Amino acid sequence: MLTGGGARAAYQVGLLKGLARHFPDLRFQIITGVSAGAINAIFLASRHGSLAEKVEQLAGFWRALECDHVFRPNFAALIPFRGKHPHGLFNAAPLAALLRRIFFCPIRNMPIDGIKRNLAEGDISAVALMTLDYTTGQSVRWVQGRVVDVFEGPNRRSAATELTVEHVLASAALPFVFPAVRIGDRYHGDGGIRLSAPLSAAVHLGARRILAMSTGYQRTPDEASTPEVEGYPPAAQLLSQLVNAIFLDVIDEDVVRMERLNEMIRKLPPEDHNGFKPIELFVLRPSRDLGKLAGEYEKNLPRSMKIFTRALGSRETESPAFMSLMMFEPNYTRALIELGERDVETRLDELKAFLGLSLKPVLSVA
C-alpha cells in the first residue's frame, strides 16, 4: 500500500531500494496506491524485470525531478474573478507530459500496456488506484486485474478499468493546488480525500500480507505536545495540519483498526471466525519528520515557488508539511531516498521475520 504525500513519495523509492537490495526476488502480486503513491504503484505494476531493475529506473525518475517538471504557477488563479473559475493554483501540464513519456501513453485515455502485459504474464494479479469523484463525493477504487470481494457503500465504489495516465493524474491531483482530471464524464481529484481505510483496497483484492509504505512521521508524545509555532498560526501551519489530517494520519488510524481486528479474530474459537482471517501487516514509515526536512531545502525551490511558500509563512513553523508536498527538487528527493534506504536497514531483522524464509516471498504492497 503506497500512500500519498506529493514529493514525499520519493521516500517510498528509498524503501523499495532497500528491499530490493536485501530481497532481490521479492515480488508484489497486489499493488495499490493513492495520491503521489499512485505514480510509484503504476511504475511497479507496468515495468518489466526484477524488483531491483524496476526500482532503479524509478529512483532515476525521482532523482531527476524538478518543480518545473511537475507544475508551473497558474498566475490566473491569483487574479480576481474574471468570469472563469480558476482550476488550481498550479498547472499540472508538465507532470501530465512527463507521465505520458514514462508510461508510453502519448494519447489521452490510452491504457498503460505494461500493466496488461504483467497481468498476462502473472507478474502481478491486481493493481488499484483511488480517486475522489468531485461530482458525487464518492471515493472510487479503480481496479485492473482480478476483482475480489468488491465492497460498495454510500461514499465509495469500485470500478473495473484499464488504467491510464488520467487515473494517475487524478489520484495525485491535490485539491485547490492541481486541477481536477476528467475521467469519462466526471471530474476526479486526489484519492487521499475521504479515504478512511487505505488498507481496504488490498484486503478486498485478496491480500493476506500487506506491506504498507507511509510518508507520515509518527511523532513521540513529547514531540506531539511541543508547539511548532509561536503566536497566531500562519497559513502554512494551518495547511500543514490539514495535510496531515487528510493525507497522512489516516493510514495510522487504519493500521490500529486492522491490528485490533486481527487480535479479536485470533482470540475467537476457529468455528466462530466466519471466514475471517488475520492479515499480516508491516508498516514502514520515515524515522524523521519529512516536513522539517523540507524546511532545510526551501532555499533550493524556484523563486516563484519560494515567494509562494514564504507568503504562507513557511518560515514561521518548524514543520511546513504543506511545502514538503511541493518540494520536487533533486536535493530533497535524494535525501528522502537515502532516508528510506537507511530505514529499511534499521528494521531488517523485522522485515526478514515478516517475509519469512522463502527465497521468493509473495505479498502485496499497499
Side-chain angles (χ1 to χ4, degrees), residues 197-204 207-212 251-266 277-283 366:
L199 298 172
S200 66
V203 174
H204 289 299
R208 289 294 170 261
R209 281 193 292 170
I210 298 177
L211 184 60
I251 182 67
D252 296 325
E253 296 168 7
D254 204 21
V255 165
V256 170
R257 281 195 296 267
M258 182 170 285
E259 289 174 341
R260 288 176 177 171
L261 281 171
N262 283 340
E263 183 180 1
M264 182 181 69
I265 292 168
R266 291 188 181 103
K277 296 179 181 178
I279 294 173
E280 296 179 58
L281 175 64
F282 195 99
V283 183

Side-chain angles (χ1 to χ4, degrees), residues 264-274 276:
M264 182 181 69
I265 292 168
R266 291 188 181 103
K267 288 181 177 179
L268 288 173
E271 60 272 17
D272 293 334
H273 281 190
N274 195 28
F276 290 100

Side-chain angles (χ1 to χ4, degrees), residues 79-111:
I79 300 173
F81 181 68
R82 300 173 303 156
K84 277 188 174 181
H85 293 292
H87 290 176
L89 291 173
F90 296 93
N91 186 322
L95 177 61
L98 180 61
L99 294 183
R100 292 195 196 289
R101 287 199 300 273
I102 67 170
F103 293 130
F104 311 106
C105 295
I107 303 172
R108 181 178 169 81
N109 296 318
M110 179 180 178

Side-chain angles (χ1 to χ4, degrees), residues 126-194:
V127 58
L129 303 183
M130 276 65 74
T131 67
L132 177 69
D133 184 341
Y134 281 143
T135 55
T136 65
Q138 289 181 309
S139 180
V140 184
R141 180 189 304 149
W142 301 94
V143 181
Q144 186 169 351
R146 73 182 184 197
V147 180
V148 180
D149 190 22
V150 175
F151 181 75
E152 305 284 349
N155 293 319
R156 55 186 175 268
R157 61 184 171 89
S158 298
T161 191
E162 287 188 308
L163 291 165
T164 68
V165 167
E166 279 62 47
H167 291 95
V168 182
L169 287 169
S171 186
L174 291 167
F176 301 111
V177 178
F178 296 131
V181 178
R182 185 170 181 170
I183 300 176
D185 60 351
R186 306 278 182 86
Y187 284 92
H188 293 253
D190 198 300
I193 309 170
R194 212 167 197 172

